């Protein structure tokens, strides 16, 4: 995969173990950082350190903020000392969809807090051409914009130096706008009408509009975005529950309001037209209905 992406294998080194006394043991980041620093100095010009998974740095409880910060600090110091970027790889915790991406990282929030930049990746639904689609987005940045990203896909490519041998590589595509939360929500959503995300959006918007005459559309949108729903999901939910959009005011004071439709009354059977007759839809009134029984009720 490195060769397929154009990397020079002679400039890439894998840490496979550490020598402790006369014994060679699996590399333990929590124990062998000093040896790693010494090796980096011998190699010279190390510009990128990749730790996969970054949770392996922590010898103690990876869910405790203080222990994670204490464990990550030697790695931060090493990167600063040799002038290298440090890339730690982790995963999202299960069942964390719709939450802020930085909070979804497995373990303590300190993993995202210590980092200067946090990026997230997710597999999206295939496009109309069924090609592989993924999203890489910035969810946090202390040194630049903290939103936006790129679409990409993973494709198979034959290696020039080894005919017949293929490997996966990344194909970068168009730039995408929006926050990481919005981009991930759209990538992870399911267009199936029975999906949980669709039902959740419908129920949330219906609950907000229920019991009020109308709600400012901006207020409704902000409340739903705070729960992780995208503009597309919000628009779809409004259409699915039949909420009407009306405007009030003039010029800069104009506001858009959403409200649920009024329930239609049930027409009693005695008010139905006789067979062979129809009521005109416009320009005519309905025939006068006979008085209902005293114990009857229109629901």
């Amino acid at each position: 995969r490195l060769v397929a992406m154009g990397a020079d294998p002679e400039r890439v080194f894998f840490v496979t173990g550490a020598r402790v006394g006369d014994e060679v043991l699996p590399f333990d980041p929590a124990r062998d950082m000093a040896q790693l620093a010494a090796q980096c100095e011998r190699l010279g010009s190390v510009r990128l350190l990749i730790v996969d998974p970054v949770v392996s740095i922590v010898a103690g409880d990876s869910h405790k903020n203080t222990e994670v910060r204490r464990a990550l600090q030697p790695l931060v110091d090493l990167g600063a000392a040799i002038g290298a970027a440090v890339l730690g790889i982790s995963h999202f915790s299960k069942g964390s969809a719709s939450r802020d991406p930085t909070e979804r990282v497995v373990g303590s929030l300190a993993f995202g807090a210590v980092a200067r930049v946090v990026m997230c990746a997710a597999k999206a639904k295939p496009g109309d051409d069924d090609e592989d689609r993924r999203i890489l987005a910035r969810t946090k940045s202390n040194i630049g914009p903290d939103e936006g990203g790129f679409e990409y896909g993973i494709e198979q490519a034959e290696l020039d130096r080894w005919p017949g041998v293929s490997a996966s590589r990344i194909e970068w595509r168009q730039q995408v706008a929006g926050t990481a939360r919005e981009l991930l929500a759209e990538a992870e959503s399911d267009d199936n009408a029975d999906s949980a995300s669709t039902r959740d959006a419908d129920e949330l918007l219906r609950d907000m509009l229920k019991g009020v005459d109308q709600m400012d559309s901006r207020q409704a949108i902000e409340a739903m975005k705070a729960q992780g729903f995208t503009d597309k999901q919000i628009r779809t939910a409004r259409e699915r529950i039949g909420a009407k959009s009306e405007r009030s005011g003039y010029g800069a004071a104009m506001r858009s309001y959403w409200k649920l439709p009024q329930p239609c009354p049930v027409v009693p059977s005695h008010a139905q037209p006789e067979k062979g007759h129809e009521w005109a839809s416009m320009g005519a009134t309905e025939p006068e209905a006979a008085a209902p029984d005293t114990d009857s009720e229109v629901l």
Side-chain angles (χ1 to χ4, degrees):
R1 286 180 293 183
L2 287 167
V3 172
M5 287 295 297
D8 181 356
E10 295 185 359
R11 300 181 61 186
V12 179
F13 301 87
F14 294 89
V15 179
T16 58
R19 187 178 300 280
V20 180
D22 296 331
E23 190 175 6
V24 176
L25 302 174
F27 181 78
D28 183 354
R31 179 196 62 202
D32 303 324
M33 290 299 295
Q35 292 194 55
L36 178 60
Q39 186 63 30
C40 288
E41 290 292 342
R42 283 192 290 269
L43 291 173
S45 300
V46 173
R47 292 295 173 259
L48 175 64
L49 294 173
I50 302 176
V51 184
D52 183 14
V54 68
V55 70
S56 64
I57 290 287
V58 184
D61 189 340
S62 62
H63 290 82
K64 290 186 177 181
N65 190 57
T66 54
E67 293 193 22
V68 170
R69 284 183 173 274
R70 187 183 302 114
L72 290 177
Q73 194 56 49
L75 186 62
V76 173
D77 294 341
L78 173 58
I82 65 175
V86 179
L87 174 63
I89 298 176
S90 186
H91 297 276
F92 285 152
S93 56
K94 295 182 178 180
S96 62
S98 81
R99 289 169 49 191
D100 184 274
T102 305
E103 298 176 358
R104 296 176 61 182
V105 177
V106 172
S108 167
L109 292 176
F111 284 109
V114 171
R116 291 291 176 263
V117 178
V118 178
M119 296 178 288
C120 57
K123 187 172 183 178
K125 299 181 296 296
D128 296 335
D129 51 5
D130 290 331
E131 67 177 357
D132 181 73
R133 289 183 61 247
R134 299 164 193 259
I135 295 290
L136 178 69
R138 284 177 296 198
T139 181
K140 168 198 168 179
S141 176
N142 293 346
I143 57 177
D146 58 358
E147 60 179 31
F150 293 89
E151 279 191 3
Y152 70 97
I154 296 180
E155 62 178 10
Q156 296 297 313
E158 185 176 17
L159 304 184
D160 295 334
R161 294 169 57 183
W162 293 279
V165 178
S166 297
S168 58
R169 68 180 182 188
I170 292 175
E171 178 192 25
W172 293 107
R173 296 170 186 161
Q174 64 182 357
Q175 185 175 1
V176 291
T179 66
R181 190 170 189 168
E182 293 172 342
L183 294 172
L184 284 184
E186 186 171 352
E188 296 173 338
S189 67
D190 189 346
D191 286 336
N192 189 325
D194 294 328
S195 69
S197 60
T198 301
R199 292 197 306 271
D200 290 345
D202 292 356
E203 293 174 3
L204 176 60
L205 184 56
R206 186 182 290 109
D207 288 343
M208 288 194 300
L209 300 180
K210 191 184 300 181
V212 298
D213 291 336
Q214 59 186 13
M215 176 178 286
D216 190 308
S217 61
R218 292 181 299 181
Q219 179 183 352
I221 291 172
E222 290 175 1
M224 294 195 68
K225 283 188 173 182
Q227 298 298 318
F229 295 106
T230 66
D231 289 327
K232 179 181 178 182
Q233 290 174 314
I234 297 170
R235 183 173 61 253
T236 301
R238 184 180 70 81
E239 294 172 352
R240 283 174 54 81
I241 68 174
K244 297 182 178 180
S245 178
E246 297 182 354
R247 294 187 177 185
S248 177
Y250 298 93
M254 181 176 289
R255 294 289 184 270
S256 174
Y257 296 91
W258 291 352
K259 65 180 182 178
L260 290 174
Q262 296 297 322
C264 297
V266 177
V267 180
S269 59
H270 53 68
Q272 300 292 342
E274 296 180 2
K275 186 176 182 180
H277 295 76
E278 295 181 357
W279 295 338
S281 59
M282 296 181 63
T285 59
E286 300 176 358
E288 184 178 354
D293 296 335
T294 55
D295 59 349
S296 66
E297 183 181 8
V298 175
L299 302 179

